Amino acid sequence: WQSNASGSFADINGATSSPLATDTLTTTTQYQAVVTLGNCSAISSIATVNVNAIPSPGTVTAGDTTLCNNKPTTLTLSNSESGAQITWQIKTTGGFSDLNANNNTYNTGNLTETTSYRAYVKKAGCSDTSNIVTIKVNPSYVGGTTSAVKDTVCAGDSTILTLSGSSGSPIQWRS
């Protein structure tokens, strides 16, 4: 076997049988076989293997990476390959799955659990994925019930307030 990636054919060391598994390709390359029998030889037709570049997947950023429960954020893909097809992908557990979203920006909608996103970028049959952005969702908090030990006092007196049934901390009192 012979290959040509730079203007002239050269023998491929150790390549003496069919089929031929190529090395990793980074540029368009031509191949041909030289078949010999005794002192005679013949050259096969040329097979050209075109190599397309892997598209630049770009970088995903999020408006917010930590949210309160049931709040949205917007994801933005920047510096991806011009003309490439974009498919947003999502993961909460397990592997990533495709979303029906193909623009440079994606609104997550209201999130109720920590969720990861990335962009899958494809062009000319080649693809790559962007960085992964994880949006942390804090649990819902309950404000609780405030009650006064004395709900009626005389001017100049004070009372004690208690909070029960709340979740989250720290507590900040407001009057």
Side-chain angles (χ1 to χ4, degrees), residues 59-65 67 72-78 88-91 96 99 101 103-109 111 115-119 130-135:
T59 303
V60 175
T61 55
D64 292 301
T65 56
L67 300 174
T73 191
T74 299
L75 306 173
T76 302
L77 177 64
S78 57
W88 286 97
Q89 296 182 324
I90 185 172
K91 177 177 89 163
F96 279 91
L99 292 166
N103 296 321
N104 283 357
T105 58
Y106 176 71
N107 185 321
T108 64
L111 298 176
T115 307
S116 295
Y117 295 90
R118 70 181 181 189
S130 70
N131 60 305
I132 297 170
V133 171
T134 300
I135 310 300

Side-chain angles (χ1 to χ4, degrees), residues 18-31:
S18 179
L20 171 69
T22 70
D23 289 335
T24 301
L25 299 174
T26 58
T27 187
T28 296
T29 305
Q30 296 178 319
Y31 293 90

Side-chain angles (χ1 to χ4, degrees), residues 17 22 33 38-39 43 57 60 65 92 98 104 123 132 137 152 161 166:
S17 63
T22 70
N39 292 340
I43 296 175
V60 175
T65 56
T92 53
D98 290 349
N104 283 357
K123 184 175 182 181
I132 297 170
V137 177
T152 303
L161 302 173
S166 67

